[in-house]
Amino acid sequence: MKSFLKVWFLLIAFIVFGLFSGCAGEESRYGVLGKSVGPYWDVVKKGAEDAGKELDVKVTVFMPQKEDIPRQIETIETWISMGYKGIAVAPSDPEALVSPINLAIEKGIPTITIDTDSPNSERICYIGTDNYTAGRVAGEKMAEILGGKGKVAIATGSLTAMNSLERMRGFEDAIKKHPGIEIIEPILCDNEETSRAVELAETALLNNPDLDAFFGVYAFNGPSAAKAVKAAGKKGKIHIVSFDVTDEHLYLIDEGLIDATIAQKQYLMGYEGVKILHSMNKKGMEETLDSLPKNKDGDCIIDTGVDVVSRENLEGYLKIMDQWGIAHTFSL
Ligand code: BGC
């Protein structure tokens, strides 16, 4: 009987030890929280997972189906309670995410923003596009394509996320210099739901028979507008300037439905995000921050840069995709 008890004792000890060593395995689990499901975020995921493999650490990447602020808050809270060692988040609402981000920081979990910022939070760095400047570049490109005259509809996936607001502000500032261009109301917002984006573009075409162009603020907005334009038989009559490059963009640019797109470097947001979080844990916060760029206010902002992609330089961007190991069915 005694030896039977001993076996049980050992078994329980093994289970408890196993659980704790399981926790030790969590020592280096990082969380990357995106904004919606789609090919843009697949690339961020690939970057984060590649970094995880290189560093031999665990990475969880999660995206809500569509824009979902409560889900983002809940996810960060869960990751905090699970003892994640670092979090990279793309806040769909910069203010609503202040409190979970600050809670993570309070608990000693390095937390950074990627893709879109939450500057009023305690996040340590922002890694992503300079969205205001990128929006201006899009506006200038649009003005050039329209020859300084025409009616433009803006389609976006968010009226709260900072990247969307900054891109639109930059775009509008660039357009203001061209009094012949009118931006129509209202802004078409689909809350990162692709089917809704197509519907909104179709309605805009019906309500504005004299529309000349769409500005697609998020990755799926350009292709969604292109679908609506094609279905309305207006290919060649309506111009599209979009953001990002996905496989779909490549076909649509080649087909002449999208005139130009502002390609972000989202692979780096995932890849550098995980690498920086890990360095904060391993090398320490001070040493890591010393090696990172700061703006004039001392804030750690890592601008990943953009490329303007059109039919003329598609080949160059395909090379970048290949370099990152991003699958595409399109080829020239
Ligand atoms: C934006 C992301 C957004 C994505 C949607 C990108 O342009 O940077 O914030 O979630 O589009 O696919």
Side-chain angles (χ1 to χ4, degrees), residues 82-103:
M82 288 172 76
Y84 276 35
K85 290 294 180 258
I87 297 173
V89 52
S92 286
D93 180 330
E95 295 313 316
L97 269 288
V98 164
S99 128
I101 291 175
N102 289 359
L103 181 65

Side-chain angles (χ1 to χ4, degrees), residues 291-307:
S291 66
L292 297 174
K294 320 266 171 339
N295 68 8
K296 59 178 180 359
D297 304 318
D299 195 9
C300 174
I301 304 280
I302 301 167
D303 179 2
T304 42
V306 293
D307 292 306

Side-chain angles (χ1 to χ4, degrees), residues 9-44:
F9 176 77
L10 277 175
L11 205 63
I12 288 167
F14 271 126
I15 291 170
V16 170
F17 178 76
L19 283 179
F20 277 106
S21 58
C23 290
E26 294 296 311
E27 214 167 66
S28 293
R29 181 173 289 274
Y30 298 99
V32 176
L33 177 54
K35 290 168 70 233
S36 60
V37 169
Y40 172 89
W41 284 102
D42 289 346
V43 176
V44 179

Side-chain angles (χ1 to χ4, degrees), residues 223 226-227 229-231 234-238 240 247-260 310-312 314 330-332:
K227 262 181 213 139
V229 167
K230 204 171 176 179
K234 290 197 162 178
K235 178 179 160 185
K237 292 198 185 84
I238 305 223
I240 300 175
D247 211 11
E248 213 179 351
H249 284 81
L250 296 169
Y251 285 100
L252 295 167
I253 292 170
D254 191 50
E255 217 185 316
L257 272 152
I258 292 183
D259 296 77
S310 57
R311 208 198 251 134
E312 297 78 63
L314 260 190
F330 176 84
S331 63
L332 280 169

Side-chain angles (χ1 to χ4, degrees), residues 57-93:
V57 295
K58 292 174 187 154
V59 177
T60 298
V61 182
F62 177 73
M63 282 83 73
Q65 199 58 38
K66 60 183 198 91
E67 178 170 79
D68 190 341
I69 297 154
R71 194 75 201 274
Q72 284 197 318
I73 296 175
E74 198 182 284
T75 306
I76 296 187
E77 287 170 353
T78 308
W79 287 352
I80 295 173
S81 68
M82 288 172 76
Y84 276 35
K85 290 294 180 258
I87 297 173
V89 52
S92 286
D93 180 330

Side-chain angles (χ1 to χ4, degrees), residues 77-295:
E77 287 170 353
T78 308
W79 287 352
I80 295 173
S81 68
M82 288 172 76
Y84 276 35
K85 290 294 180 258
I87 297 173
V89 52
S92 286
D93 180 330
E95 295 313 316
L97 269 288
V98 164
S99 128
I101 291 175
N102 289 359
L103 181 65
I105 295 286
E106 215 176 274
K107 302 269 179 201
I109 304 171
T111 301
I112 60 172
T113 47
I114 55 166
D115 178 63
T116 180
D117 202 5
S118 171
N120 293 333
S121 72
E122 299 289 324
R123 61 95 180 114
I124 298 160
C125 299
Y126 163 69
I127 310 177
T129 301
D130 171 346
N131 285 292
Y132 174 77
T133 308
R136 276 195 90 117
V137 172
E140 276 149 23
K141 195 73 201 165
M142 180 66 92
E144 180 194 315
I145 291 165
L146 291 178
K149 169 164 139 272
K151 269 193 178 181
V152 183
I154 300 183
T156 185
S158 182
L159 291 180
T160 49
M162 202 170 152
N163 59 356
S164 167
L165 299 178
E166 288 290 277
R167 283 174 206 177
M168 293 192 286
R169 190 167 71 85
F171 183 84
E172 282 164 4
D173 282 355
I175 294 296
K176 269 183 208 149
K177 294 202 192 119
H178 302 272
I181 303 182
E182 183 197 341
I183 296 175
I184 64 153
E185 303 267 356
I187 291 170
L188 316 170
C189 179
D190 50 66
N191 299 99
E192 301 215 33
E193 213 177 323
T194 314
S195 56
R196 182 86 188 111
V198 179
E199 272 167 34
L200 287 170
E202 283 167 352
T203 314
L205 286 175
L206 283 176
N207 293 344
N208 303 277
D210 54 347
L211 193 72
D212 297 290
F214 280 100
F215 168 41
V217 178
Y218 273 180
F220 51 82
N221 290 122
S224 301
K227 262 181 213 139
V229 167
K230 204 171 176 179
K234 290 197 162 178
K235 178 179 160 185
K237 292 198 185 84
I238 305 223
H239 297 280
I240 300 175
V241 172
S242 67
F243 255 80
D244 304 306
V245 178
T246 64
D247 211 11
E248 213 179 351
H249 284 81
L250 296 169
Y251 285 100
L252 295 167
I253 292 170
D254 191 50
E255 217 185 316
L257 272 152
I258 292 183
D259 296 77
T261 196
I262 312 298
Q264 299 192 79
K265 303 208 171 108
Q266 71 270 34
Y267 178 89
L268 299 178
M269 301 178 200
Y271 182 80
E272 296 296 341
V274 169
K275 286 214 140 175
I276 287 170
L277 288 174
H278 192 60
S279 168
M280 285 169 178
N281 281 318
K282 292 293 148 187
K283 289 195 185 145
M285 191 58 79
E286 225 179 283
E287 199 181 323
T288 305
L289 280 177
D290 279 351
S291 66
L292 297 174
K294 320 266 171 339
N295 68 8

